[in-house]
Amino acid sequence: MAGRGSLPEGSLFLGFDSSTQSLKATVLNNELAIVASEIVNFDSELPHYKTEGGVYRDSADDGHIFSPTIMWVEALELLLEKLKPKINFSKVVAVSGSGQQHGSVYWKKGSQEVLSSLDPSNSLLLQLKHVFSTMNSPIWMDSSTTKQCREIENAVGGALELAKLTGSRAYERFTGPQIRKIYQTEPNVYEDTERISLVSSFMASILVGSYASIDETDGAGMNLMDINQRTWSKAVLEATAPGLEGRLGNLAPAYSIAGQIAPYFVERFQFDKNCLVIQWSGDNPNSLAGLTLNTPGDLAISLGTSDTVFGITAEAKPSLEGHVFPNPVEPDGYMVMLCYKNGSLTREDVRNRCAEKSWDVFNSYLEKTSPLNGGKLGFYYKDHEILPPLPVGFHRYMIENLDAASSDNLIEHEVAEFDPPSEVRAIIEGQMLSMRGHAERFGMPNPPKRIIATGGASSNESILRAVAQIFGCPVFTVQRPDSASLGAALRAAHGWLCNAAGSFVPISCLYEGNLEKTSLGSKLAIPAGDKDEDRELLKKYTLVMKKRMEIEKRLVEKIGRA
């Protein structure tokens, strides 16, 4: 079995993360230690696009949220310029990346030619600004395709059938419904499109100067791929749009090679011409790789623009809730995932309203309110939520009889508002209770052996304490809260290793026995409470969680979008 020594001495591995609000890069050396990192924030560093949180919201079309495709191109150039003084690009032997999942890019006819003949004396921005059949990329926050979701589900025999086929029922943000909407509402755009990329394969295409394949792991977030066969599903393609397969190209395993880096980057940034570009994948699969999540009893929680809960499993058992994707670093395995749209931006909204726009004040409120919040329970949806499918709105309840023996004895009544400290605790506890309730219903471990927390808010100890109390298990954190670009750099090394070996090699060969010497290890942040009062608190949280799921069910029946 190949070991860590198989990575060439002095070599570098570059990982990108093209996320909603920024483009990040992490560089690992052959010891898998971070040697450089850099970031471009879209709103502040590319202000001429006038995005908010990296996106545009269409006031005329409720739920239509998108980003300007060309902004990602300009960000890539800017990021490479910022990295230039920090690393020697000629030492980079492999590059990979992570893209926000589900977002799509539409290349117009003739673009492949432009892509394959980029002139290193000119910017990417100048050369690529006319290659798209639409300048806007629908992204994961979009929820304007409910009609298309139902049409696709009905065409294949219902939501559960689609989930069994593709790993998920139809979700508005998924790429298949988004493509169908463009085909129906902008037929000229669809007609003029020769290739549709995901954000991940789009960025890889620029780096190789040719259309890169969509990788199987990210392809599973489209409602178009047969999750068991890992090929495009003919039935779903037909239900989505005509002539779609030709526009999607082939699928590829996540560890395979998209190509060698394009001459443009060799001449303009002095990359070595033999530098490999490993398939890019989605942000959640890359986080799974970056967290070295390989024990079935572990769960990861990513607290970012979106909040996600994910784990690994040996077999695919799709249901009407949550998602099943192929595991990006274990060809025979799967990752299971739950996704929440109301993550950091919704927490920031509460911070701005109730905590003087200060995280310090927010945390002090969280610390001074007691667990269970005196029975105050909140549902906070600044954007239309995915899980559960509820519209924008805020719902607050007071729960009585918290000392009751069962959730049947808990009585709730709706209230108009909470005081600021209670509001702060309610948004944190509410999200964690929802995560736990849905994770258990989806068959994820209960309680988990441990939770590995990542994403921006994972550096907040007050939030992590609530996670440990509600899930009843220890919480670990990683050296870098940005696990997606770290995972991409690790996947670059893994892809390089697989290519050198001529076949798939387990990713653990890269770090086995040496995890603590790399930048990949996780450390205990909050232990699981083992006192009687901790166990008592967990029991009460379990009751409140069940009560929350009951209230949620009623809200969905009354005002749900599904």
Side-chain angles (χ1 to χ4, degrees):
M1 202 181 259
R4 223 166 36 115
S6 308
L7 298 177
E9 193 69 37
S11 59
L12 298 176
F13 301 89
L14 172 56
F16 292 102
D17 175 29
S18 182
S19 70
T20 316
Q21 303 186 59
S22 61
L23 180 66
K24 306 180 189 80
T26 297
V27 185
L28 293 174
N29 64 13
N30 61 299
E31 297 286 312
L32 303 182
I34 296 170
V35 292
S37 59
E38 199 46 87
I39 183 169
V40 171
N41 180 283
F42 300 144
D43 291 1
S44 60
E45 295 182 70
L46 299 170
H48 44 284
Y49 291 103
K50 299 185 167 64
T51 53
E52 280 184 37
V55 306
Y56 296 138
R57 294 165 192 268
D58 185 349
S59 54
D61 182 357
D62 183 38
H64 182 209
I65 301 177
F66 52 94
S67 293
T69 313
I70 197 69
M71 177 177 75
W72 299 331
V73 175
E74 192 173 351
L76 177 62
E77 285 191 283
L78 180 55
L79 189 65
L80 288 169
E81 289 295 347
K82 286 174 83 167
L83 269 177
K84 220 180 194 172
K86 293 188 168 186
I87 64 163
N88 179 348
F89 285 124
S90 68
K91 298 266 175 67
V92 176
V93 299
V95 179
S96 190
S98 146
Q100 51 169 302
Q101 288 193 266
H102 322 296
S104 46
V105 172
Y106 300 80
W107 302 89
K108 74 177 179 197
K109 289 172 178 167
S111 300
Q112 166 71 32
E113 231 164 277
V114 180
L115 202 49
S116 62
S117 54
L118 293 170
D119 174 3
S121 63
N122 271 321
S123 71
L124 288 174
L125 180 68
L126 270 176
Q127 297 177 80
L128 294 178
K129 67 178 178 190
H130 300 302
V131 299
F132 309 114
S133 48
T134 170
M135 297 304 289
N136 298 321
S137 285
I139 63 156
W140 68 273
M141 293 171 82
D142 186 280
S143 58
S144 67
T145 60
T146 311
K147 169 179 167 281
Q148 289 78 14
C149 288
R150 297 299 85 80
E151 289 168 351
I152 292 169
E153 286 177 347
N154 293 339
V156 299
L160 189 58
E161 279 311 305
L162 186 67
K164 286 176 184 168
L165 250 180
T166 69
S168 304
R169 66 175 302 166
Y171 282 91
E172 282 116 330
R173 70 190 190 280
F174 273 42
T175 324
Q178 294 289 344
I179 292 169
R180 182 163 178 78
K181 182 185 171 191
I182 284 180
Y183 162 67
Q184 289 178 334
T185 61
E186 301 178 80
N188 54 323
V189 167
Y190 186 75
E191 186 48 44
D192 193 29
T193 299
E194 75 177 13
R195 178 61 77 107
I196 300 171
S197 294
L198 293 180
V199 177
S200 54
S201 62
F202 164 65
M203 299 296 274
S205 299
I206 295 172
L207 290 173
V208 295
S210 175
Y211 293 142
S213 295
I214 289 171
D215 93 286
E216 294 163 358
T217 312
D218 212 7
M222 299 175 78
N223 279 136
L224 294 173
M225 187 185 87
D226 183 315
I227 189 75
N228 293 304
Q229 305 300 321
R230 306 196 184 187
T231 55
W232 299 121
S233 163
K234 299 272 190 261
V236 193
L237 292 180
E238 280 168 25
T240 303
L244 184 50
E245 188 162 7
R247 287 173 170 85
L248 293 173
N250 297 328
L251 287 153
Y255 60 87
S256 63
I257 285 168
Q260 287 181 320
I261 200 150
Y264 179 88
F265 297 96
V266 174
E267 296 185 39
R268 196 166 169 103
F269 293 98
Q270 287 72 56
F271 275 89
D272 185 280
K273 69 181 193 318
N274 298 314
C275 173
L276 300 177
V277 178
I278 308 304
Q279 289 292 154
W280 283 45
S281 190
D283 45 8
N284 294 297
N286 276 287
S287 287
L288 181 129
L291 297 173
T292 65
L293 197 68
N294 49 24
T295 310
D298 290 349
L299 276 190
I301 290 181
S302 175
L303 300 167
T305 311
S306 66
D307 285 350
T308 53
V309 184
F310 50 93
I312 59 169
T313 179
E315 51 187 326
K317 290 183 188 166
S319 73
L320 286 175
E321 187 170 278
H323 315 293
V324 178
F325 299 146
N327 184 326
V329 291
E330 178 44 70
D332 300 328
Y334 296 89
M335 65 178 285
V336 288
M337 190 178 99
L338 304 170
C339 185
Y340 294 83
K341 193 189 288 187
N342 288 273
S344 62
L345 299 177
T346 307
R347 283 187 285 274
E348 275 172 30
D349 181 58
V350 170
R351 178 202 68 178
N352 295 345
R353 282 191 293 109
C354 302
E356 301 166 27
K357 300 187 175 178
S358 155
W359 285 119
D360 288 340
V361 175
F362 184 98
N363 291 342
S364 74
Y365 284 170
L366 200 48
E367 292 296 334
K368 78 178 191 191
T369 46
S370 57
L372 298 165
N373 209 10
K376 299 182 186 79
L377 187 63
F379 296 73
Y380 299 87
Y381 307 125
K382 186 174 183 283
D383 281 302
H384 294 324
E385 187 48 275
I386 296 159
L387 187 66
L390 286 171
V392 171
F394 302 94
H395 313 277
R396 298 174 185 85
Y397 299 86
M398 281 297 301
I399 309 283
E400 288 164 21
N401 294 352
L402 267 182
D403 291 325
S406 80
S407 58
D408 300 340
N409 300 338
L410 297 182
I411 301 160
E412 87 278 356
H413 58 268
E414 197 157 359
V415 295
E417 57 182 35
F418 294 149
D419 60 283
S422 300
E423 183 92 326
V424 164
R425 179 162 280 277
I427 190 172
I428 298 302
E429 287 194 339
Q431 185 76 308
M432 301 314 154
L433 288 164
S434 175
M435 285 179 174
R436 183 181 154 192
H438 286 282
E440 288 180 16
R441 198 156 84 184
F442 194 44
M444 292 181 178
N446 166 35
K449 285 182 184 163
R450 61 174 183 157
I451 284 172
I452 306 175
T454 178
S458 67
S459 54
N460 186 318
E461 204 172 293
S462 307
I463 293 176
L464 298 186
R465 191 166 295 110
V467 176
Q469 288 171 332
I470 288 167
F471 279 85
C473 69
V475 177
F476 286 71
T477 53
V478 282
Q479 186 176 324
R480 280 290 299 281
D482 173 38
S483 54
S485 68
L486 175 62
L490 181 64
R491 286 186 47 255
H494 181 229
W496 186 93
L497 197 63
C498 292
N499 182 63
S503 66
F504 177 79
V505 175
I507 195 167
S508 54
C509 295
L510 285 167
Y511 49 74
E512 224 157 28
N514 287 294
L515 202 54
E516 68 290 346
K517 291 183 182 164
T518 70
S519 292
L520 303 166
S522 54
K523 64 177 195 302
L524 180 65
I526 310 285
D530 55 2
K531 300 190 180 90
D532 285 346
E533 58 259 39
D534 297 317
R535 284 187 277 273
E536 206 46 49
L537 178 61
L538 181 61
K539 274 186 202 161
K540 285 184 182 169
Y541 269 130
T542 302
L543 293 180
V544 174
M545 180 266 287
K546 287 175 180 165
K547 179 48 100 178
R548 182 188 172 87
M549 295 299 276
E550 280 170 35
I551 298 171
E552 181 190 286
K553 183 169 182 276
R554 288 201 294 273
L555 283 170
V556 171
E557 284 163 2
K558 192 171 152 197
I559 56 171
R561 294 180 302 107

